[in-house]
Each structure stands twice: as structure tokens, then as C-alpha cells.
Amino acid sequence: MKKISIQNLNKDFGDTVVFKDFSCSFDNGINIIMGPSGSGKTTLLNAFAGLEDYGGLIEIDGIKYQNKCDILVSYMFQEHRLIVQKTVFQNLDFALFSSIKDKAERKDRIDTMLEAIGLTEAKSLYPRQLSGGMAQRAALARAFLFKSDILLMDEPFKGLDSDTKETVIDIFFKLWEKDKRTVLFVTHDEYEAKRLGGVIYNFPNKPISGIIIS
Amino acid sequence: MQKKTLKKIIFFTLSIITIISLWWIFSSVQSLRTSRVIPSPWQTIIRISQEIQEGMLFSSIFRTLLKVLTAVLISFILGFLIALLASFNQNIRHFITPFVTIIRAVPTIGVILVLIVIFRSSFLIAVIIASIMIFPMLYENFYTAFKEVDKNILQMARVHKIPKLKQVLGVYVPSMLPHIFSGLIQSVGMGLKVVIAAEIMAIPFRGTLGSNMFGASQYPDFELLFAYIVVAIAVSFLIEGGLRLLAKLTMPWKKR
């Protein structure tokens, strides 16, 4: 698990300033980021994922990344983001393509993961044939299959009914216990925040500036 | 068999029966009044079989189709490249739009007449006019296909450090396939119509569907004319069916 900190982060989208000299240190376990809509939570995750440029510094285990972060991260988005033209197996295989070159090894790892999360039967199904919970489980599998030390989760359980949410959270813990990573988990849901039991960071309305401590 | 498929087959068969019945009724009414302009379906089928026996039909189809396929290939490459540029740069899109609008509006026959004056090669005339008419369809289909590639999926691929070529093959191509097939199906139908029109007008085409139709109208031999019209429809139908089958095979996620 990696120790993450942000120093003097600056980010704007034209006239909209999201972060202004923002600093924060995250725990190397599960971190819950809460805050109103549009407060920059997703932008922060995108900065970690290398999807957004920024001003300032992101420090991960002592290595400093200025302007753009290019570390390997696993990212579970708000939507499942499975490729609709590929089966569950093909989706996972696609995501692992660059990190595991050996096809047989990819297959073994995917099969093991699908069994662990109870999706073996669904491996040949296409995303539109999956329920919301199954699709999010497949996305969770993809996130854990991809080798990285940081797991970004952007309201991944939004829209799931309470029973399905419980199931997916249980699976999340099962996978996380086996393969612990630093988690940045964005949510609006206080129940989810409590259930995940991590360190909670409350983001104010943008522009976010100064230092935020849990 | 699924209920949906069965319904499709029933209504398709009903439609064909209706078309043939209407054709038969028109040909019967016609024959009571004046000389036969519209032959009956049965007479037409006999005439087609005679053409097959004489060995003229398949070579005519081949010559016509060669022009259609050449035109489709040219428009496919041009449409793809220009749509690719336009999807990345809106200025190119704005620049291309008037060309596409004009091409769409321009009367086919007018352009064929101009091409006849400019070019001596009748093959070239047919290919050029068909390419011009097909291009807007393929360009628009490609442009829509490029625009509809899911940006969220591309973002997911970037996070997983997927190489560009793998992104093209794994995200762009599957996402674009429905538009490509739709464009091709429309193009072949349109291409066949335009090439036949060019063959009729730009004599000296010999031994093509268009020239055979023209020849039949000059004698006049309406049975032969109808035979070639039906053949042209059948060819278009078969190619469209083939393309639809290929689309089904290459897009398994659609049929489930």
C-alpha cells in the first residue's frame, strides 16, 4: 500500500477553479472522500489516474509527480465502463493486455477472479445481458486484476439497490483483504462511508484550497 | 425457432407474395388493353432462364458489379479518411459539409451527361458517377461512427495503458462496425442503380445489365427488359443479404 499526499494542487477548467493551493495527505488504507457535487472529487481521482493535468505536486511513496501523474492505478468508475461489444471475459482480458503479456496467464487469472466473485457463469455474457450488480462486480474484478498499488473508486455503487450494494461491498472487502491497496473512495452516501470504515475526508465547495485533514 | 424470428419470416414472405401478386395483377390488366408492356412474373422468369442458358447473364452481372465494387471501394477509402480528419478537426468538417450537401443534391443524370463529354472510357464514367453518389453516404456513416466511439471507454483504456493499436482494434472497430455495414448496404444498392443508369446512357457499354436493358427497350422486348430489372433487384437483394449475414457474424453482441 502506498502513502499518498498532495501538495499545493492547482486545477481549473477555464474560469472554474477547482483546486487552489490544495494540500492533503491520505492514509495508506481506505480513504473516503465526501463532498457536494462538483466539488472536484472526480477531478482529483482523474489527476491520480493521469487523465487530468494539474499544477503542484502529487507524492506517492516519496516519488513526486509534477503536473501529470503517470503511475499505474486501478480505477472503478461511476459507470461500469465495460465494452458493450465484448463479453465479460474479453473485457477483463482487454484491461490486462498491457500488464500481462502471456495470454494463458491472463486466462488463468481471469478465471480465478471470476470464480472468486461468482461470475464464472457470466464470463461469456455481454454487458447488456448483465444486471447492474453483475456489471459492477465485473468492473470490480477488472480493478483488482489490474496490478497497481492504488485503487480509485468513484461512486462505484451508485444506483445499486441496497441488497446488491451489500453484496458488492462484501466482494470488495474479500478482494481487498487478499490484495490490499491504498483506496481513494468517492461517495455521497454516508452509509457506504461508514460501511467501508476508512478515513473520511470532507471536501468543501470549490474552489478547494488550503489543507484538508481527515 | 424464436417467436420473433418466425414473425419476421411470416411477414417477409407475405410481403414477397403481395409484391408478386400486384405485379401479376398489373400485367394481367395491361394485357387486356394494349400490347404487353408489363410481362407476367412467370414470363419474366422464363426469360431469365433463357438468358442464363445463352450464357449472357452472369457475364453481364459481373461487368456491372465490377464497376459497383470499384466505386464502393474508392468511396470507402475516401469516406473513411475524410471522416477521420473531420472527426478530429471541426474546421475540416465545416469545410467538407458544403461539398457533401452539393453532391447529395446534384442530379445523377446531369453529372453522367457531363462525364460523357469529358471521358471516353465508359468504365470510368460509371465508376466516377457511382463514387460521387456513394461518397456522402459512407462519409456520413464513418463520421457518425467516429463520433460515437465511447469516450469513457477510451478513458478506461488509457488508465489500463492499452496500446493505441489495441484500442483501435478493441474499441474503435467494434463500435464502428454497425455504421460501416449500414453504409455499405446503402452504398451497394445506390451504386447498382447509378452504374446501371450510367451504362444505359453512356453507350458503348456492351454486355452489362444497363446496356442489356437499353437494348431490350430499343427492340422493344419488354420481357427481356423486365428480366434484367428483376435480375438487378435480385443482385442487390443478394448482396444486401450477404452483407447482413456478415454483419451478424462479425457482431455477435447484437444477436443475443
Side-chain angles (χ1 to χ4, degrees), chain B residues 49-79:
Chain B
S49 68
Q50 283 170 355
E51 284 299 296
I52 293 171
Q53 280 163 13
E54 283 170 26
M56 291 286 289
L57 188 74
F58 293 113
S59 58
S60 301
I61 293 172
F62 174 76
R63 286 193 197 98
T64 299
L65 272 187
L66 187 67
K67 294 180 206 104
V68 176
L69 296 178
T70 309
V72 170
L73 184 69
I74 292 169
S75 300
F76 190 92
I77 295 167
L78 274 178

PDB file of all heavy atoms in Angstrom, chain B residues 49-79:
ATOM      1  N   SER B  49     -34.342 -17.445 -67.379  1.00  0.00           N
ATOM      2  CA  SER B  49     -33.708 -18.758 -67.555  1.00  0.00           C
ATOM      3  C   SER B  49     -33.126 -18.884 -68.963  1.00  0.00           C
ATOM      4  O   SER B  49     -32.076 -19.483 -69.161  1.00  0.00           O
ATOM      5  CB  SER B  49     -34.695 -19.875 -67.231  1.00  0.00           C
ATOM      6  OG  SER B  49     -35.698 -19.882 -68.192  1.00  0.00           O
ATOM      7  N   GLN B  50     -33.808 -18.280 -69.958  1.00  0.00           N
ATOM      8  CA  GLN B  50     -33.261 -18.301 -71.336  1.00  0.00           C
ATOM      9  C   GLN B  50     -31.932 -17.540 -71.408  1.00  0.00           C
ATOM     10  O   GLN B  50     -30.975 -17.994 -72.041  1.00  0.00           O
ATOM     11  CB  GLN B  50     -34.261 -17.652 -72.306  1.00  0.00           C
ATOM     12  CG  GLN B  50     -35.420 -18.564 -72.661  1.00  0.00           C
ATOM     13  CD  GLN B  50     -36.522 -17.842 -73.427  1.00  0.00           C
ATOM     14  OE1 GLN B  50     -36.481 -16.625 -73.620  1.00  0.00           O
ATOM     15  NE2 GLN B  50     -37.532 -18.601 -73.843  1.00  0.00           N
ATOM     16  N   GLU B  51     -31.904 -16.399 -70.724  1.00  0.00           N
ATOM     17  CA  GLU B  51     -30.664 -15.590 -70.703  1.00  0.00           C
ATOM     18  C   GLU B  51     -29.525 -16.365 -70.052  1.00  0.00           C
ATOM     19  O   GLU B  51     -28.379 -16.284 -70.482  1.00  0.00           O
ATOM     20  CB  GLU B  51     -30.909 -14.272 -69.962  1.00  0.00           C
ATOM     21  CG  GLU B  51     -31.667 -13.231 -70.733  1.00  0.00           C
ATOM     22  CD  GLU B  51     -30.972 -12.790 -72.003  1.00  0.00           C
ATOM     23  OE1 GLU B  51     -29.881 -12.209 -71.906  1.00  0.00           O
ATOM     24  OE2 GLU B  51     -31.523 -13.053 -73.099  1.00  0.00           O
ATOM     25  N   ILE B  52     -29.885 -17.111 -68.990  1.00  0.00           N
ATOM     26  CA  ILE B  52     -28.859 -17.921 -68.303  1.00  0.00           C
ATOM     27  C   ILE B  52     -28.335 -18.992 -69.271  1.00  0.00           C
ATOM     28  O   ILE B  52     -27.131 -19.191 -69.394  1.00  0.00           O
ATOM     29  CB  ILE B  52     -29.429 -18.568 -67.015  1.00  0.00           C
ATOM     30  CG1 ILE B  52     -29.750 -17.484 -65.979  1.00  0.00           C
ATOM     31  CG2 ILE B  52     -28.436 -19.574 -66.409  1.00  0.00           C
ATOM     32  CD1 ILE B  52     -30.523 -17.983 -64.757  1.00  0.00           C
ATOM     33  N   GLN B  53     -29.251 -19.640 -69.983  1.00  0.00           N
ATOM     34  CA  GLN B  53     -28.847 -20.694 -70.927  1.00  0.00           C
ATOM     35  C   GLN B  53     -27.949 -20.139 -72.046  1.00  0.00           C
ATOM     36  O   GLN B  53     -27.017 -20.798 -72.488  1.00  0.00           O
ATOM     37  CB  GLN B  53     -30.087 -21.349 -71.541  1.00  0.00           C
ATOM     38  CG  GLN B  53     -30.719 -22.382 -70.602  1.00  0.00           C
ATOM     39  CD  GLN B  53     -32.144 -22.739 -71.000  1.00  0.00           C
ATOM     40  OE1 GLN B  53     -32.598 -22.416 -72.097  1.00  0.00           O
ATOM     41  NE2 GLN B  53     -32.842 -23.399 -70.115  1.00  0.00           N
ATOM     42  N   GLU B  54     -28.250 -18.923 -72.463  1.00  0.00           N
ATOM     43  CA  GLU B  54     -27.439 -18.309 -73.536  1.00  0.00           C
ATOM     44  C   GLU B  54     -26.075 -17.855 -73.028  1.00  0.00           C
ATOM     45  O   GLU B  54     -25.222 -17.456 -73.800  1.00  0.00           O
ATOM     46  CB  GLU B  54     -28.194 -17.131 -74.150  1.00  0.00           C
ATOM     47  CG  GLU B  54     -29.288 -17.591 -75.111  1.00  0.00           C
ATOM     48  CD  GLU B  54     -30.190 -16.438 -75.540  1.00  0.00           C
ATOM     49  OE1 GLU B  54     -29.732 -15.286 -75.528  1.00  0.00           O
ATOM     50  OE2 GLU B  54     -31.360 -16.727 -75.868  1.00  0.00           O
ATOM     51  N   GLY B  55     -25.914 -17.887 -71.722  1.00  0.00           N
ATOM     52  CA  GLY B  55     -24.611 -17.561 -71.125  1.00  0.00           C
ATOM     53  C   GLY B  55     -24.309 -16.073 -71.061  1.00  0.00           C
ATOM     54  O   GLY B  55     -23.164 -15.668 -70.864  1.00  0.00           O
ATOM     55  N   MET B  56     -25.333 -15.260 -71.240  1.00  0.00           N
ATOM     56  CA  MET B  56     -25.127 -13.796 -71.254  1.00  0.00           C
ATOM     57  C   MET B  56     -25.251 -13.173 -69.859  1.00  0.00           C
ATOM     58  O   MET B  56     -24.605 -12.178 -69.569  1.00  0.00           O
ATOM     59  CB  MET B  56     -26.184 -13.144 -72.160  1.00  0.00           C
ATOM     60  CG  MET B  56     -26.031 -13.429 -73.622  1.00  0.00           C
ATOM     61  SD  MET B  56     -24.661 -12.506 -74.309  1.00  0.00           S
ATOM     62  CE  MET B  56     -25.367 -10.847 -74.276  1.00  0.00           C
ATOM     63  N   LEU B  57     -26.084 -13.782 -69.062  1.00  0.00           N
ATOM     64  CA  LEU B  57     -26.496 -13.121 -67.816  1.00  0.00           C
ATOM     65  C   LEU B  57     -25.353 -12.907 -66.823  1.00  0.00           C
ATOM     66  O   LEU B  57     -25.118 -11.789 -66.364  1.00  0.00           O
ATOM     67  CB  LEU B  57     -27.619 -13.933 -67.161  1.00  0.00           C
ATOM     68  CG  LEU B  57     -28.254 -13.242 -65.976  1.00  0.00           C
ATOM     69  CD1 LEU B  57     -29.148 -12.116 -66.430  1.00  0.00           C
ATOM     70  CD2 LEU B  57     -29.070 -14.223 -65.156  1.00  0.00           C
ATOM     71  N   PHE B  58     -24.640 -13.980 -66.517  1.00  0.00           N
ATOM     72  CA  PHE B  58     -23.644 -13.870 -65.445  1.00  0.00           C
ATOM     73  C   PHE B  58     -22.484 -12.939 -65.813  1.00  0.00           C
ATOM     74  O   PHE B  58     -21.974 -12.212 -64.968  1.00  0.00           O
ATOM     75  CB  PHE B  58     -23.151 -15.261 -65.033  1.00  0.00           C
ATOM     76  CG  PHE B  58     -24.229 -16.066 -64.372  1.00  0.00           C
ATOM     77  CD1 PHE B  58     -24.745 -17.193 -64.965  1.00  0.00           C
ATOM     78  CD2 PHE B  58     -24.775 -15.655 -63.158  1.00  0.00           C
ATOM     79  CE1 PHE B  58     -25.770 -17.915 -64.370  1.00  0.00           C
ATOM     80  CE2 PHE B  58     -25.803 -16.377 -62.557  1.00  0.00           C
ATOM     81  CZ  PHE B  58     -26.301 -17.517 -63.167  1.00  0.00           C
ATOM     82  N   SER B  59     -22.088 -12.959 -67.097  1.00  0.00           N
ATOM     83  CA  SER B  59     -21.008 -12.054 -67.505  1.00  0.00           C
ATOM     84  C   SER B  59     -21.495 -10.602 -67.417  1.00  0.00           C
ATOM     85  O   SER B  59     -20.731  -9.701 -67.052  1.00  0.00           O
ATOM     86  CB  SER B  59     -20.523 -12.386 -68.913  1.00  0.00           C
ATOM     87  OG  SER B  59     -21.602 -12.298 -69.803  1.00  0.00           O
ATOM     88  N   SER B  60     -22.767 -10.373 -67.725  1.00  0.00           N
ATOM     89  CA  SER B  60     -23.325  -9.006 -67.618  1.00  0.00           C
ATOM     90  C   SER B  60     -23.329  -8.558 -66.158  1.00  0.00           C
ATOM     91  O   SER B  60     -22.951  -7.423 -65.842  1.00  0.00           O
ATOM     92  CB  SER B  60     -24.755  -8.950 -68.139  1.00  0.00           C
ATOM     93  OG  SER B  60     -24.803  -9.357 -69.458  1.00  0.00           O
ATOM     94  N   ILE B  61     -23.768  -9.469 -65.279  1.00  0.00           N
ATOM     95  CA  ILE B  61     -23.793  -9.133 -63.844  1.00  0.00           C
ATOM     96  C   ILE B  61     -22.373  -8.820 -63.375  1.00  0.00           C
ATOM     97  O   ILE B  61     -22.139  -7.840 -62.669  1.00  0.00           O
ATOM     98  CB  ILE B  61     -24.392 -10.303 -63.017  1.00  0.00           C
ATOM     99  CG1 ILE B  61     -25.863 -10.498 -63.339  1.00  0.00           C
ATOM    100  CG2 ILE B  61     -24.209 -10.058 -61.515  1.00  0.00           C
ATOM    101  CD1 ILE B  61     -26.479 -11.748 -62.727  1.00  0.00           C
ATOM    102  N   PHE B  62     -21.412  -9.659 -63.791  1.00  0.00           N
ATOM    103  CA  PHE B  62     -20.025  -9.468 -63.364  1.00  0.00           C
ATOM    104  C   PHE B  62     -19.500  -8.099 -63.797  1.00  0.00           C
ATOM    105  O   PHE B  62     -18.914  -7.365 -63.012  1.00  0.00           O
ATOM    106  CB  PHE B  62     -19.142 -10.591 -63.940  1.00  0.00           C
ATOM    107  CG  PHE B  62     -17.688 -10.383 -63.658  1.00  0.00           C
ATOM    108  CD1 PHE B  62     -17.163 -10.637 -62.392  1.00  0.00           C
ATOM    109  CD2 PHE B  62     -16.835  -9.892 -64.646  1.00  0.00           C
ATOM    110  CE1 PHE B  62     -15.826 -10.421 -62.128  1.00  0.00           C
ATOM    111  CE2 PHE B  62     -15.496  -9.674 -64.390  1.00  0.00           C
ATOM    112  CZ  PHE B  62     -14.988  -9.943 -63.127  1.00  0.00           C
ATOM    113  N   ARG B  63     -19.731  -7.742 -65.054  1.00  0.00           N
ATOM    114  CA  ARG B  63     -19.222  -6.463 -65.574  1.00  0.00           C
ATOM    115  C   ARG B  63     -19.828  -5.275 -64.809  1.00  0.00           C
ATOM    116  O   ARG B  63     -19.150  -4.307 -64.505  1.00  0.00           O
ATOM    117  CB  ARG B  63     -19.517  -6.330 -67.066  1.00  0.00           C
ATOM    118  CG  ARG B  63     -18.622  -7.205 -67.910  1.00  0.00           C
ATOM    119  CD  ARG B  63     -18.687  -6.844 -69.384  1.00  0.00           C
ATOM    120  NE  ARG B  63     -18.133  -7.948 -70.157  1.00  0.00           N
ATOM    121  CZ  ARG B  63     -18.867  -8.889 -70.759  1.00  0.00           C
ATOM    122  NH1 ARG B  63     -20.177  -8.838 -70.714  1.00  0.00           N
ATOM    123  NH2 ARG B  63     -18.290  -9.866 -71.437  1.00  0.00           N
ATOM    124  N   THR B  64     -21.108  -5.371 -64.533  1.00  0.00           N
ATOM    125  CA  THR B  64     -21.775  -4.277 -63.811  1.00  0.00           C
ATOM    126  C   THR B  64     -21.280  -4.223 -62.363  1.00  0.00           C
ATOM    127  O   THR B  64     -20.941  -3.144 -61.851  1.00  0.00           O
ATOM    128  CB  THR B  64     -23.308  -4.464 -63.855  1.00  0.00           C
ATOM    129  OG1 THR B  64     -23.717  -4.444 -65.198  1.00  0.00           O
ATOM    130  CG2 THR B  64     -24.027  -3.373 -63.092  1.00  0.00           C
ATOM    131  N   LEU B  65     -21.203  -5.398 -61.743  1.00  0.00           N
ATOM    132  CA  LEU B  65     -20.786  -5.428 -60.327  1.00  0.00           C
ATOM    133  C   LEU B  65     -19.349  -4.948 -60.137  1.00  0.00           C
ATOM    134  O   LEU B  65     -19.029  -4.345 -59.110  1.00  0.00           O
ATOM    135  CB  LEU B  65     -20.923  -6.842 -59.767  1.00  0.00           C
ATOM    136  CG  LEU B  65     -22.281  -7.206 -59.186  1.00  0.00           C
ATOM    137  CD1 LEU B  65     -22.217  -8.561 -58.522  1.00  0.00           C
ATOM    138  CD2 LEU B  65     -22.754  -6.162 -58.181  1.00  0.00           C
ATOM    139  N   LEU B  66     -18.509  -5.226 -61.119  1.00  0.00           N
ATOM    140  CA  LEU B  66     -17.105  -4.794 -61.021  1.00  0.00           C
ATOM    141  C   LEU B  66     -17.030  -3.273 -60.854  1.00  0.00           C
ATOM    142  O   LEU B  66     -16.269  -2.752 -60.042  1.00  0.00           O
ATOM    143  CB  LEU B  66     -16.335  -5.246 -62.276  1.00  0.00           C
ATOM    144  CG  LEU B  66     -14.833  -5.009 -62.241  1.00  0.00           C
ATOM    145  CD1 LEU B  66     -14.184  -5.898 -61.179  1.00  0.00           C
ATOM    146  CD2 LEU B  66     -14.204  -5.300 -63.610  1.00  0.00           C
ATOM    147  N   LYS B  67     -17.885  -2.585 -61.611  1.00  0.00           N
ATOM    148  CA  LYS B  67     -17.911  -1.119 -61.525  1.00  0.00           C
ATOM    149  C   LYS B  67     -18.457  -0.681 -60.168  1.00  0.00           C
ATOM    150  O   LYS B  67     -17.936   0.241 -59.541  1.00  0.00           O
ATOM    151  CB  LYS B  67     -18.794  -0.533 -62.633  1.00  0.00           C
ATOM    152  CG  LYS B  67     -18.238  -0.766 -64.008  1.00  0.00           C
ATOM    153  CD  LYS B  67     -19.156  -0.156 -65.053  1.00  0.00           C
ATOM    154  CE  LYS B  67     -19.011  -0.884 -66.359  1.00  0.00           C
ATOM    155  NZ  LYS B  67     -20.097  -1.789 -66.675  1.00  0.00           N
ATOM    156  N   VAL B  68     -19.514  -1.365 -59.736  1.00  0.00           N
ATOM    157  CA  VAL B  68     -20.126  -1.004 -58.444  1.00  0.00           C
ATOM    158  C   VAL B  68     -19.095  -1.187 -57.320  1.00  0.00           C
ATOM    159  O   VAL B  68     -18.890  -0.294 -56.490  1.00  0.00           O
ATOM    160  CB  VAL B  68     -21.377  -1.876 -58.148  1.00  0.00           C
ATOM    161  CG1 VAL B  68     -21.946  -1.569 -56.775  1.00  0.00           C
ATOM    162  CG2 VAL B  68     -22.438  -1.659 -59.214  1.00  0.00           C
ATOM    163  N   LEU B  69     -18.422  -2.324 -57.330  1.00  0.00           N
ATOM    164  CA  LEU B  69     -17.479  -2.608 -56.242  1.00  0.00           C
ATOM    165  C   LEU B  69     -16.273  -1.674 -56.278  1.00  0.00           C
ATOM    166  O   LEU B  69     -15.774  -1.254 -55.231  1.00  0.00           O
ATOM    167  CB  LEU B  69     -17.033  -4.077 -56.295  1.00  0.00           C
ATOM    168  CG  LEU B  69     -18.160  -5.091 -56.060  1.00  0.00           C
ATOM    169  CD1 LEU B  69     -17.652  -6.517 -56.165  1.00  0.00           C
ATOM    170  CD2 LEU B  69     -18.835  -4.878 -54.710  1.00  0.00           C
ATOM    171  N   THR B  70     -15.828  -1.316 -57.493  1.00  0.00           N
ATOM    172  CA  THR B  70     -14.715  -0.362 -57.603  1.00  0.00           C
ATOM    173  C   THR B  70     -15.142   0.977 -57.005  1.00  0.00           C
ATOM    174  O   THR B  70     -14.389   1.598 -56.237  1.00  0.00           O
ATOM    175  CB  THR B  70     -14.314  -0.172 -59.092  1.00  0.00           C
ATOM    176  OG1 THR B  70     -14.124  -1.441 -59.666  1.00  0.00           O
ATOM    177  CG2 THR B  70     -13.050   0.651 -59.218  1.00  0.00           C
ATOM    178  N   ALA B  71     -16.354   1.405 -57.342  1.00  0.00           N
ATOM    179  CA  ALA B  71     -16.858   2.683 -56.821  1.00  0.00           C
ATOM    180  C   ALA B  71     -17.005   2.632 -55.298  1.00  0.00           C
ATOM    181  O   ALA B  71     -16.636   3.588 -54.603  1.00  0.00           O
ATOM    182  CB  ALA B  71     -18.200   3.008 -57.468  1.00  0.00           C
ATOM    183  N   VAL B  72     -17.518   1.520 -54.784  1.00  0.00           N
ATOM    184  CA  VAL B  72     -17.700   1.397 -53.330  1.00  0.00           C
ATOM    185  C   VAL B  72     -16.334   1.456 -52.641  1.00  0.00           C
ATOM    186  O   VAL B  72     -16.169   2.127 -51.624  1.00  0.00           O
ATOM    187  CB  VAL B  72     -18.452   0.091 -52.965  1.00  0.00           C
ATOM    188  CG1 VAL B  72     -18.426  -0.153 -51.464  1.00  0.00           C
ATOM    189  CG2 VAL B  72     -19.898   0.165 -53.438  1.00  0.00           C
ATOM    190  N   LEU B  73     -15.356   0.767 -53.226  1.00  0.00           N
ATOM    191  CA  LEU B  73     -14.012   0.750 -52.631  1.00  0.00           C
ATOM    192  C   LEU B  73     -13.408   2.161 -52.588  1.00  0.00           C
ATOM    193  O   LEU B  73     -12.871   2.591 -51.558  1.00  0.00           O
ATOM    194  CB  LEU B  73     -13.109  -0.205 -53.423  1.00  0.00           C
ATOM    195  CG  LEU B  73     -11.711  -0.406 -52.864  1.00  0.00           C
ATOM    196  CD1 LEU B  73     -11.785  -1.191 -51.554  1.00  0.00           C
ATOM    197  CD2 LEU B  73     -10.822  -1.148 -53.857  1.00  0.00           C
ATOM    198  N   ILE B  74     -13.525   2.881 -53.712  1.00  0.00           N
ATOM    199  CA  ILE B  74     -12.973   4.246 -53.773  1.00  0.00           C
ATOM    200  C   ILE B  74     -13.663   5.127 -52.717  1.00  0.00           C
ATOM    201  O   ILE B  74     -13.009   5.827 -51.949  1.00  0.00           O
ATOM    202  CB  ILE B  74     -13.139   4.842 -55.194  1.00  0.00           C
ATOM    203  CG1 ILE B  74     -12.242   4.094 -56.180  1.00  0.00           C
ATOM    204  CG2 ILE B  74     -12.824   6.338 -55.198  1.00  0.00           C
ATOM    205  CD1 ILE B  74     -12.523   4.407 -57.641  1.00  0.00           C
ATOM    206  N   SER B  75     -14.992   5.080 -52.689  1.00  0.00           N
ATOM    207  CA  SER B  75     -15.739   5.916 -51.739  1.00  0.00           C
ATOM    208  C   SER B  75     -15.470   5.503 -50.304  1.00  0.00           C
ATOM    209  O   SER B  75     -15.454   6.339 -49.397  1.00  0.00           O
ATOM    210  CB  SER B  75     -17.237   5.821 -52.004  1.00  0.00           C
ATOM    211  OG  SER B  75     -17.505   6.262 -53.279  1.00  0.00           O
ATOM    212  N   PHE B  76     -15.274   4.209 -50.096  1.00  0.00           N
ATOM    213  CA  PHE B  76     -14.998   3.695 -48.749  1.00  0.00           C
ATOM    214  C   PHE B  76     -13.695   4.299 -48.223  1.00  0.00           C
ATOM    215  O   PHE B  76     -13.649   4.822 -47.106  1.00  0.00           O
ATOM    216  CB  PHE B  76     -14.892   2.159 -48.816  1.00  0.00           C
ATOM    217  CG  PHE B  76     -14.834   1.479 -47.476  1.00  0.00           C
ATOM    218  CD1 PHE B  76     -15.996   1.051 -46.866  1.00  0.00           C
ATOM    219  CD2 PHE B  76     -13.624   1.268 -46.833  1.00  0.00           C
ATOM    220  CE1 PHE B  76     -15.961   0.419 -45.631  1.00  0.00           C
ATOM    221  CE2 PHE B  76     -13.579   0.637 -45.598  1.00  0.00           C
ATOM    222  CZ  PHE B  76     -14.749   0.212 -44.991  1.00  0.00           C
ATOM    223  N   ILE B  77     -12.664   4.243 -49.064  1.00  0.00           N
ATOM    224  CA  ILE B  77     -11.348   4.766 -48.631  1.00  0.00           C
ATOM    225  C   ILE B  77     -11.432   6.279 -48.429  1.00  0.00           C
ATOM    226  O   ILE B  77     -11.016   6.798 -47.388  1.00  0.00           O
ATOM    227  CB  ILE B  77     -10.250   4.389 -49.657  1.00  0.00           C
ATOM    228  CG1 ILE B  77     -10.089   2.863 -49.692  1.00  0.00           C
ATOM    229  CG2 ILE B  77      -8.928   5.055 -49.312  1.00  0.00           C
ATOM    230  CD1 ILE B  77      -9.273   2.336 -50.855  1.00  0.00           C
ATOM    231  N   LEU B  78     -12.018   6.970 -49.410  1.00  0.00           N
ATOM    232  CA  LEU B  78     -12.130   8.433 -49.301  1.00  0.00           C
ATOM    233  C   LEU B  78     -12.990   8.836 -48.105  1.00  0.00           C
ATOM    234  O   LEU B  78     -12.634   9.720 -47.327  1.00  0.00           O
ATOM    235  CB  LEU B  78     -12.751   9.001 -50.577  1.00  0.00           C
ATOM    236  CG  LEU B  78     -11.813   9.310 -51.734  1.00  0.00           C
ATOM    237  CD1 LEU B  78     -12.616   9.809 -52.913  1.00  0.00           C
ATOM    238  CD2 LEU B  78     -10.770  10.341 -51.331  1.00  0.00           C
ATOM    239  N   GLY B  79     -14.140   8.172 -47.979  1.00  0.00           N
ATOM    240  CA  GLY B  79     -15.072   8.478 -46.883  1.00  0.00           C
ATOM    241  C   GLY B  79     -14.422   8.258 -45.532  1.00  0.00           C
ATOM    242  O   GLY B  79     -14.554   9.074 -44.626  1.00  0.00           O
TER     243      GLY B  79
END
